[in-house]
């Protein structure tokens, strides 16, 4: 299987660094991508409605993109590796087998293992997708119809786990149902500060391990870190310059 093949590939350890993980806690004991509680690997729990107090956005001089950190100022990582670290023991069936094959000692703080975590989640999603289709087929013919609703002013906050991590979204509607205010914090924005932290530490580790290494080799290694976090970054920004 693909998981057994992946397990034979040696993952470099120069990107291994202690990291604070953040993920939504599923509302019932199963591995799911929805939840109403924000959890960290330090054991903290917060309601989703308080996301602005948990995730602090800030700007930096060297980028037009917003960065994010915890209220303490610490950076954190959200995404597949974070979810497996917090809720991997809830996996079942083929997904659990894939998890045990790729993480025999449990998830490790090494961003390059995020690729393996994503592979485990692909197995889980395929397995869960079949279950959802079966459930929907059983509902056919039971008189299901859209729920009735009335337009009114209001405000809503929600969060969902997407492939790259937690997506927070908040909207305010007026009495006619028009959006008058909105706030969205993407997982890419949440991970950016941690990406920069890991890139800096990776450079230090690579120089210590390979003092005679070339810039081209280091550039390739650092690209692996960026892609492990978010392939969209490497697609949209085709630039990585190494300066010693």
């Amino acid at each position: 299987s693909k998981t057994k093949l992946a397990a034979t590939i040696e993952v470099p350890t120069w990107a291994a660094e202690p990291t604070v993980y953040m993920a939504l806690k599923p509302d019932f004991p199963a591995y799911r991508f929805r939840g109403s509680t924000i959890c960290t690997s330090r054991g903290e729990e917060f309601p989703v409605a308080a996301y602005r107090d948990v995730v602090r956005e800030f700007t930096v001089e060297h980028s037009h993109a917003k960065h994010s950190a915890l209220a303490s100022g610490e950076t954190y990582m959200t995404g597949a590796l974070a979810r497996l670290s917090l809720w991997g023991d809830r996996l079942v069936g083929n997904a659990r087998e894939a998890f045990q094959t790729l993480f025999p000692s449990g998830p490790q703080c090494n961003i390059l293992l995020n690729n393996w975590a994503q592979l485990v989640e692909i197995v889980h999603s395929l397995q869960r997708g079949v279950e959802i289709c079966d459930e929907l087929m059983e509902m056919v013919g039971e008189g299901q119809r859209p729920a009735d609703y009335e337009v009114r002013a209001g405000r809503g906050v929600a969060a969902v786990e997407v492939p790259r991590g937690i997506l927070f979204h908040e909207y305010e509607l007026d009495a006619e149902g028009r959006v008058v205010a909105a706030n969205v914090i993407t997982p890419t924005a949440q991970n950016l500060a941690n990406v920069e932290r890991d890139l800096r530490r990776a450079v230090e580790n690579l120089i210590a391990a390979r003092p005679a290494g070339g810039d081209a080799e280091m550039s390739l290694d650092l690209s692996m870190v960026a892609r492990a976090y978010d392939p969209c970054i490497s697609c949209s920004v085709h630039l990585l310059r190494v300066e010693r």
Side-chain angles (χ1 to χ4, degrees), residues 37-240:
T37 304
I38 305 166
C39 292
T40 72
S41 54
R42 296 186 303 199
E44 302 161 311
E45 295 191 8
F46 311 91
V48 166
Y51 78 100
R52 286 177 183 260
D53 297 325
V54 181
V55 179
R56 302 294 178 86
E57 292 187 285
F58 60 95
T59 58
V60 293
E61 293 183 358
H62 58 272
S63 173
H64 294 294
K66 282 187 176 181
H67 287 46
S68 301
L70 299 174
S72 63
E74 293 177 276
T75 64
Y76 64 94
M77 186 240 174
T78 184
L81 189 57
R83 291 188 288 261
L84 283 191
S85 296
L86 290 170
W87 318 121
D89 59 339
R90 300 186 178 192
L91 291 165
V92 297
N94 293 334
R96 185 171 187 80
E97 292 179 10
F99 178 55
Q100 293 173 337
T101 298
L102 293 170
F103 297 92
S105 301
Q108 309 295 317
C109 288
N110 182 346
I111 184 54
L112 299 182
L113 289 171
N114 195 42
N115 296 306
W116 288 181
Q118 291 169 334
L119 178 54
V120 173
E121 287 199 335
I122 288 174
V123 176
H124 163 75
S125 297
L126 291 172
Q127 178 178 286
R128 179 61 182 151
V130 172
E131 294 173 357
I132 293 174
C133 288
D134 290 340
E135 293 171 6
L136 291 174
M137 291 301 294
E138 291 178 1
M139 296 168 57
V140 174
E142 296 183 5
Q144 298 290 326
R145 65 183 183 83
D148 296 328
Y149 67 92
E150 292 183 6
V151 177
R152 61 181 176 83
R155 171 180 168 273
V157 177
V160 64
E161 291 281 0
V162 295
R164 295 177 184 89
I166 306 175
L167 172 66
F168 294 106
H169 49 115
E170 175 183 359
Y171 306 98
E172 183 179 347
L173 307 179
D174 63 16
E176 297 182 12
R178 294 176 298 194
V179 177
V180 295
N183 186 52
V184 175
I185 305 182
T186 65
T188 298
Q190 292 176 69
N191 282 328
L192 277 179
N194 218 55
V195 173
E196 291 192 359
R197 185 208 69 157
D198 280 358
L199 286 172
R200 291 191 184 96
R201 293 185 179 179
V203 168
E204 296 172 357
N205 293 338
L206 286 168
I207 290 177
R210 301 197 303 259
D215 289 353
E217 185 179 9
M218 180 177 291
S219 178
L220 179 61
D221 289 336
L222 297 179
S223 295
M224 290 169 59
V225 174
R227 291 190 178 96
Y229 266 102
D230 193 332
C232 275
I233 295 176
S234 57
C235 285
S236 62
V237 183
H238 298 277
L239 171 66
L240 199 157

